[in-house]
Amino acid sequence: MSSHLPYHRPRILLLSAYDAGSHRRWREQLVASQPDFQWEVLALPPRFFRWRIRGNALTWLQEPALKAGYDLLIVTSMVDLASLKGFHPHLARTPTILYMHENQFAYPDSGRQHSSAEPKIVNLYSAVAADQVLFNSAWNRDSFLDGAYRFLEKMPDGLPDGLISSIRGKSHVIPVPIEDRLFVERDCTHNERCPHLLWNHRWEYDKAPDRLLLMLDTLTAAGQDFRLSVVGEQFRNQPEAFDRIHERHRERIVNWGYLKSRSDYDRLLAEADVAISTALHDFQGLSVLEAMASGCMALAPDRLAYPEYVPGAQRYTSHPDDPEAEAAAAAGLLRQLLQQPQEPCVPKAWRLSELQKKYYKVISATLGRLEVS
């Protein structure tokens, strides 16, 4: 008989409480890239935001998978981890990684939502209850810690010492990876006379399509020719700026709306010249990273997570409270880039083949097998 014990593949329970596009992509990618672990996955559909972030632990109360034991829990930022562990005491001491796709302290207010502190509290309590907290960008981490500190400063009493410092000490930045297949070398140079401009974001207010409209109008008034693709996930209600963009610039439009075929989208990334962001909110900026990996120049505001990977020469001055000034800055920088073209900046550190090593290391460290660096 062999004296060697069989290898135990650690059992991991992965919970995604609001399985929107980027969340679903991240969890599927994580499971596929980490075959050394046994995975159990639970995900809730991305609807009814207020109920989902507050009620997910209750929704899963009688879930059979939560009755089992695991070596590790990995939960997304929408999961109410504190309640989950309270409802399932046998999981209370299970090591846990919290992955922060976003944080409610830095989410912009559309003006249409009911104001409530509960989403912030869920984020905060989950960070306290987790053993490791991972963020997809340094900006996400810093805005969470700063926002939580300011939030707690308003509380009248009863706060423990060093709460934010303790969260900071167990926080790390590991982005959502970009698939290796998107990193392509182009055979042709960018079209400087009539560039193909790409705006590839969710069609919502926080991506500031009104600023895109202002920028396109400014380019047209200056006599700059361009072609345009405006693509991304659409919703029943969307900002009126999209209708005005389509009306005013319809002759320049190459692609419009959601591309159902991933291969068509990948082809667009490899064909466009400049990937534009006008976002007021972006915790990582996957769409810009994907376009940069595919050889696009970036044109992004000097804020949010963009300074972490967009070269300074491709970031226009940020004027969050002055859309006209920001549109002028973006249009001016674009024309400058076309006159003095830059080599694409490829975000190699965001490749899946690189980041999967970091995910393996932090998972193993939380399991007690390695040191976290």
Side-chain angles (χ1 to χ4, degrees), residues 155-334:
M155 300 301 108
D157 62 14
L159 296 177
D161 293 334
L163 185 63
I164 301 303
S165 296
S166 68
I167 297 173
R168 186 186 300 276
K170 58 184 177 181
S171 295
H172 310 274
V173 175
I174 308 183
V176 176
I178 305 300
E179 297 284 351
D180 283 47
R181 63 182 171 75
L182 291 177
F183 287 79
V184 296
E185 290 190 17
R186 298 195 180 191
D187 298 327
C188 57
T189 58
H190 297 102
N191 188 329
E192 297 156 18
R193 184 189 63 80
C194 182
H196 186 170
L197 308 182
L198 170 63
W199 190 93
N200 55 334
H201 307 272
R202 282 183 292 102
W203 286 31
E204 292 188 287
Y205 76 97
D206 59 302
K207 303 304 181 185
D210 55 316
R211 294 175 185 240
L212 174 65
L213 174 63
L214 287 170
M215 189 197 82
L216 297 175
D217 289 348
T218 302
L219 290 173
T220 302
Q224 174 63 57
D225 202 7
F226 60 87
R227 294 180 299 146
L228 177 66
S229 288
V230 177
V231 300
E233 187 179 5
Q234 296 172 288
F235 303 89
R236 184 179 306 166
N237 297 315
Q238 59 192 38
E240 294 179 0
F242 289 107
D243 291 335
R244 295 199 291 274
I245 291 170
H246 193 271
E247 178 183 343
R248 295 182 198 176
H249 301 283
R250 68 172 69 233
E251 287 119 16
R252 306 174 188 272
I253 292 174
V254 181
N255 296 278
W256 184 261
Y258 181 70
L259 296 181
K260 294 182 180 179
S261 166
R262 180 69 209 203
S263 61
D264 289 344
Y265 179 68
D266 290 351
R267 194 176 305 114
L268 173 59
L269 293 177
E271 291 174 353
D273 295 307
V274 183
I276 299 172
S277 174
T278 50
L280 295 170
H281 148 247
D282 221 341
F283 287 106
Q284 178 174 339
L286 276 173
S287 59
V288 174
L289 280 161
E290 287 184 336
M292 291 174 67
S294 300
C296 285
M297 285 193 297
L299 185 72
D302 191 20
R303 59 172 173 256
L304 308 173
Y306 297 124
E308 296 173 43
Y309 54 84
V310 176
Q314 296 175 33
R315 300 197 307 264
Y316 55 86
T317 304
S318 175
H319 296 282
D321 299 321
D322 192 338
E324 288 81 8
E326 186 162 285
L333 180 57
L334 176 61

Side-chain angles (χ1 to χ4, degrees), residues 99-103 106 133-147 168 171-176 282-285 289 303-309 350 355 358:
Y99 193 82
M100 299 290 289
H101 287 276
E102 70 282 299
N103 77 79
V133 185
L134 306 185
F135 293 86
N136 57 2
S137 71
W139 184 81
N140 187 7
R141 177 198 61 200
D142 295 344
S143 62
F144 170 77
L145 294 171
D146 292 346
R168 186 186 300 276
S171 295
H172 310 274
V173 175
I174 308 183
V176 176
D282 221 341
F283 287 106
Q284 178 174 339
L289 280 161
R303 59 172 173 256
L304 308 173
Y306 297 124
E308 296 173 43
Y309 54 84
W350 278 255
L355 288 174
K358 293 190 175 182

Side-chain angles (χ1 to χ4, degrees), residues 13-29:
L13 177 61
L14 173 57
L15 301 176
S16 178
Y18 194 84
D19 208 42
S22 60
H23 294 219
R24 182 178 65 252
R25 165 193 169 157
W26 169 82
R27 68 167 173 81
E28 290 176 347
Q29 191 182 65

